[in-house]
Amino acid sequence: GNPVPAACSKRYPEGIKWKFLEHKGPVFAPPYEPLPENVKFYYDGKVMKLSTKAEEVATFFAKMLDHEYTTKEIFRKNFFKDWRKEMTSEEKSTITNLSKCDFTHMSQYFKAQSEARKQMSKEEKQKIKEENERLLKEYGYCVMDNHKERIANFKIEPPGLFRGRGNHPKMGMLKRRIMPEDIIINCSKDSKIPPPPPGHKWKEVRHDNKVTWLVSWTENIQGSIKYIMLNPSSRIKGEKDWQKYETARRLKKCVDKIRNQYREDWKSKEMKVRQRAVALYFIDKLALRAGNEKEEGETADTVGCCSLRVEHIKLHPELDGQEYVVEFDFLGKDSIRYYNKVPVEKRVFKNLQLFMENKQPEDDLFDRLNTSILNKHLQDLMEGLTAKVFRTYNASITLQQQLKELTNPDDNIPAKILSYNRANRAVAILCNHQRAPPKTFEKSMMNLQSKIDAKKEQLADARRELKSAKADAKVRRDEKSKKTVESKKKAVQRIEEQLMKLEVQATDREENKQIALGTSKLNYLDPRISVAWCKKWGIPIEKIYNKTQREKFAWAIDMAEEDYEF
Ligand SMILES: *[C@@H]1O[C@H](CO)[C@@H](O)[C@H](O)[C@H]1NC(C)=O
Ligand SMILES: *[C@@H]1O[C@H](CO)[C@@H](O)[C@H](O)[C@H]1NC(C)=O
Ligand SMILES: *[C@@H]1O[C@H](CO)[C@@H](O)[C@H](O)[C@H]1NC(C)=O
Ligand SMILES: *[C@@H]1O[C@H](CO)[C@@H](O)[C@H](O)[C@H]1NC(C)=O
Ligand SMILES: CC(=O)N[C@H]1CO[C@H](CO)[C@@H](O)[C@@H]1O
């Protein structure tokens, strides 16, 4: 393979291992409670009593009846197929057409129930709260080595219908109820191994101290493995998080060498090497994902860098006054559209033309490449290197550059925070973290605008009062009227500050309309940069991170690192 650049050859940090792990296992979803006799299901206009299993699955559909999903053809088809599997043979022969099923009575019953829950008395609410606290106390903690740690998600999701994002081909399928027989327990040999519920058995009990999950199972829709893990605030998670950003720092040290190498490889005689080098250029420059083999085909035709097809890019020798522009248009992770027009280096452009020669739109752009080849190459370049490390590296360095560029030392705290959010937004755009504008967006903007209008009126009033107080003081020339002027001045200042705060808030919200900041903040931005920026400008950390985020980033908040330049 390729020589490993010296700066990258430092050993990848050792995996974290625990010595002792004890926990109580998961909390299962409550069992199904059959509907009361008076809640009816109708087929073809006639009342029909369903078997318990068929009824349970029917209630999942009834609960979603007002949702657009239940009108979608794929959803209905998948649901009906899975529902029929739960029916008795008699039910199966009667219920043959979903359009003849009438769930409205069931749906009304659930709406009434949810209304009743909202109307619950204080005592009833208190009882539920106490029960939740009891569960948390019993199941919500584990002991790992000498620490008691919070568990992130100790409750197993109840069964229901799969939704998926975008136009997922599996939407409407039945997400099965998870049983103890599906569950793998991971704990240490010398701990109290959690007993399965009476009459049941665990699938397996393991003692693997190289992994940090406590419980796992395989879900039936995508066949993916689910885990119960520690809370992000736990010591071990903090260490993993820290390692991730340390790896990104190592990349910073050797990224120049890696770039020189892939530039060389654009000229390689071997097609495979050229394709790999162009793909790596995209990952570096555009923060694309490598593309996960498992997701492809299975889900709604989403692609990553390695699985791009000819139809996903257009080549423009010249576009809008720029040379060698590549136009990308494809569905990435979670069916989020990636659309971008980027000028690339001439050699990349020529290579792309070569890769596309004599191919159909549905052919692979990088036909000699797959994710395992690419990942293997990344490992050769630097231990621990993945496409995600490039994302983390670029996101963090972009945050730092943007903070330096956007922060105005003379700004007050709200304006500085706006700058921080703008820097965060630049990263979210880079990572393609879009969102649909929230449904309540227009309304909340209107509310904010009316607050601003009211504040402006208040300010005009306060200014008028100040003016007349000044005039008054000129005439009277006494101590009392001087004091009045002072206090009116202060009032004007206070209202001005409040107005400015509201206006900053409105700008922030407007700019944030279609961008999701949370993902990059939680997963890609080295928290040490944010902490150092807050320290430098005297911004309370609570203004940047909420409580959950402060717990997750406790390791960075406790660690004072001053060597950032802003
Ligand atoms: C199913 O029922 C609907 C509504 O009664 C009807 O319009 C449709 O033709 C039926 N489909 C089949 C395949 O029988
Ligand atoms: C990060 O990504 C941007 C946007 O594609 C790119 O222009 C920039 O060169 C990258 N920066 C670094 C330091 O990798
Ligand atoms: C990737 O390609 C290599 C070499 O062609 C092949 O051995 C390997 O099985 C492929 N991996 C996947 C996941 O397709
Ligand atoms: C903190 O912000 C995240 C979004 O990044 C949100 O999901 C979470 O609910 C918030 N937590 C609290 C305690 O406000
Ligand atoms: C001993 C054992 O089965 N270990 C498994 C624990 O789970 C991880 C996945 O997180 C597997 O990779 C290990 O093989």
Side-chain angles (χ1 to χ4, degrees), residues 186 204 206-208 210-213 216 225 227:
N186 200 11
E204 196 187 329
R206 275 184 199 176
H207 312 288
D208 185 353
K210 289 182 291 308
V211 298
T212 55
W213 54 263
S216 90
I225 302 175
Y227 301 100

Side-chain angles (χ1 to χ4, degrees), residues 11 85 129 175 188 194 370 401 408 433 484 519 522:
R11 287 251 357 124
K85 290 182 202 153
K129 200 172 149 211
K175 207 165 65 171
S188 58
N370 60 33
Q401 283 163 352
N408 178 356
H433 292 147
T484 312
T519 314
L522 279 182

